Amino acid sequence: MSTAPRSEPAPLPPSSPPAATRAYGADPAQVYDVRLPPPGVIPLHATVLVVHGGFWRAAYDRAHAEPEARAFAEAGYTVAVAEYRRVGMPGGGVPGTLDDVRGVITAVLADPELPQPVVLVGHSAGGHLVTWAAAQPWIAEGHPGGVAGAVALAGVVDLGAADRMQLGDGAARAFVGSDAGSAAWAAADPMSSHPRVPVRLIWGDEDDVVPAAVGDAYLAQARAAGADVRSEVIRGADHFALIDPTAPAFRSVLATVHALLP
């Protein structure tokens, strides 16, 4: 029996508190949680930085990323779960959200308790944010090789495509704060530049929230430029299966993250 694709996260199971919550700025949203491998798990010398989705809107916070964060920790990774200012919050949207992404990546790379390399993992709007970050000149500044790559799970990697498809009821325009073609739009769109670290795109073929077609032009453009970008479409997976540790699709996510490590 097939299950209807999910367009909302599943209810959260009870969660243990993170090992620490650290600030990377003065705003209450400028924080990241740290989760460590549990006792008995051999730690890997790497950190996964999780960036949650929710179409960049204030209604969605890092709480719904807790199951995937715990699963990464149980697989041996040190995990940092980023929060950031979002649309509907003071400073949210472009450029504030992008500034926060730079801020949290910089803080994680500078945190002496978080091992390197770091793999960026973002879901939906978080997939947009990690893919955008992967193309920024500062991604390797001060920490050459510190970021091993970015994994976008159903990522909104092409703002123009998202706008044409009206994903999230106009979420892309609300996030940028202007129409397509503006300077702010270009600055925020992963389509405007090529990644400087490897990027992996993972999609579910039953995703009706951010379908795989959103990544077609990004993938073609990046490959034409010689960038290290690969895409995988998982049969039977919907939008939230990619961050659900109980779903078969999550095994592919774990394998993709591990393959980026040196």
Side-chain angles (χ1 to χ4, degrees), residues 212-237:
V214 173
D216 288 351
Y218 174 84
L219 180 64
Q221 175 178 282
R223 284 182 170 173
D228 184 359
V229 179
R230 303 176 195 173
S231 182
E232 176 184 7
V233 179
I234 301 175
R235 292 185 60 186

Side-chain angles (χ1 to χ4, degrees), residues 7 13 19-20 31 36 40 45 54 61 74 88 118-119 122 127 135 146 180 190 198 203 206 236 255:
S7 57
V31 297
L36 303 174
H45 198 76
D61 63 18
E74 289 165 2
V118 175
V119 177
W203 313 90
E206 294 185 2

Side-chain angles (χ1 to χ4, degrees), residues 21-34 47-52 62 79-85 96-112 114 116 118-122 126 129-130 132-133 138-139 143 146-147:
T21 298
R22 297 177 182 144
Y24 63 90
D27 192 279
Q30 293 172 322
V31 297
Y32 60 94
D33 295 333
V34 176
T47 296
V48 172
L49 174 54
V50 173
V51 183
H52 72 81
R62 68 191 187 279
V79 183
V81 185
E83 194 55 277
Y84 52 91
R85 293 171 294 173
T97 299
L98 303 180
D99 293 340
D100 286 359
V101 171
R102 178 175 184 173
V104 73
I105 293 173
T106 300
V108 166
L109 287 171
D111 191 327
L114 303 183
Q116 294 183 23
V118 175
V119 177
L120 313 177
V121 178
L129 295 172
V130 301
W132 171 84
W138 48 260
I139 196 68
H143 297 273
V147 175

Side-chain angles (χ1 to χ4, degrees), residues 91-208:
V94 175
T97 299
L98 303 180
D99 293 340
D100 286 359
V101 171
R102 178 175 184 173
V104 73
I105 293 173
T106 300
V108 166
L109 287 171
D111 191 327
E113 297 183 20
L114 303 183
Q116 294 183 23
V118 175
V119 177
L120 313 177
V121 178
H123 176 241
S124 197
H128 157 267
L129 295 172
V130 301
T131 307
W132 171 84
Q136 302 309 304
W138 48 260
I139 196 68
E141 287 178 1
H143 297 273
V147 175
V151 181
L153 310 174
V156 189
V157 298
D158 181 344
L159 293 183
D163 185 54
R164 291 188 295 274
M165 296 179 186
Q166 280 294 292
L167 300 186
D169 295 323
R173 292 194 185 212
F175 167 61
V176 177
S178 63
D179 294 343
S182 68
W185 190 282
D189 195 347
M191 289 290 292
S192 298
S193 52
H194 306 308
R196 298 165 184 260
V197 298
V199 170
R200 302 293 180 259
L201 312 175
I202 302 181
W203 313 90
D205 71 345
E206 294 185 2
D207 192 333
D208 60 358

